[in-house]
Amino acid sequence: MHTITTDLATGIIEVDASGFWTIEHVEDFLRDLEREGRRVLATGKRHMLLCNFSKSAIQPQEVIAMLQRVAVSMPLKSRKVALYTDGKLARLQVKRIASVRDDMAVFDDRATALAWMLEGVPTGAP
């Protein structure tokens, strides 16, 4: 359902989301994400989030609504959030999530998403 890889050197938390999520899964994901955000914070950096929704199913509306709420209210907010998917319907849902914050953007592929995230970030910047 999700895997998280954290690069403590860059502060990038990379998420691969897949399948059909429930509210309970979102809660598990958020706990995992907060844990990883705290690991990055302990290095003196503020994390950035790179999310792959390419293998994700079309999600129930309550899951999308919960992800939107959390994007705004999460205590450990990411400096930047790049979301990507090549699926047309999934892209519409991802755009709904990203619409709630100015520092979130949606892309077609990982390379473009990563380039946007790193844009303007000095090497070694916290």
Side-chain angles (χ1 to χ4, degrees), residues 36-100:
E36 294 306 304
R38 291 192 185 287
R39 285 183 60 216
V40 172
L41 189 61
T43 70
K45 296 177 179 75
R46 197 166 148 218
H47 71 279
M48 294 185 286
L49 189 57
L50 179 61
C51 299
N52 178 5
F53 285 96
S54 297
K55 296 176 187 165
S56 181
I58 300 306
Q59 302 301 325
Q61 294 305 309
E62 60 268 13
V63 166
I64 299 302
M66 183 175 186
L67 289 171
Q68 280 180 307
R69 283 191 306 275
V70 169
V72 173
S73 64
M74 190 170 200
L76 287 177
K77 283 189 182 158
S78 301
R79 181 170 20 155
K80 282 185 169 181
V81 180
L83 314 167
Y84 67 96
T85 182
D86 54 3
K88 293 192 186 325
L89 291 175
R91 185 174 176 83
L92 293 174
Q93 287 194 320
V94 170
K95 280 185 172 183
R96 280 190 50 212
I97 296 167
S99 70
V100 298

Side-chain angles (χ1 to χ4, degrees), residues 4 30-40 76:
I4 297 177
L30 294 173
R31 273 191 296 275
D32 292 347
L33 184 58
E34 183 172 346
R35 180 191 67 238
E36 294 306 304
R38 291 192 185 287
R39 285 183 60 216
V40 172
L76 287 177

Side-chain angles (χ1 to χ4, degrees), residues 102-118:
D102 292 337
D103 56 359
M104 293 179 82
V106 179
F107 301 90
D108 293 327
D109 59 76
R110 183 183 185 278
T112 309
L114 185 60
W116 173 80
M117 262 185 28
L118 296 175

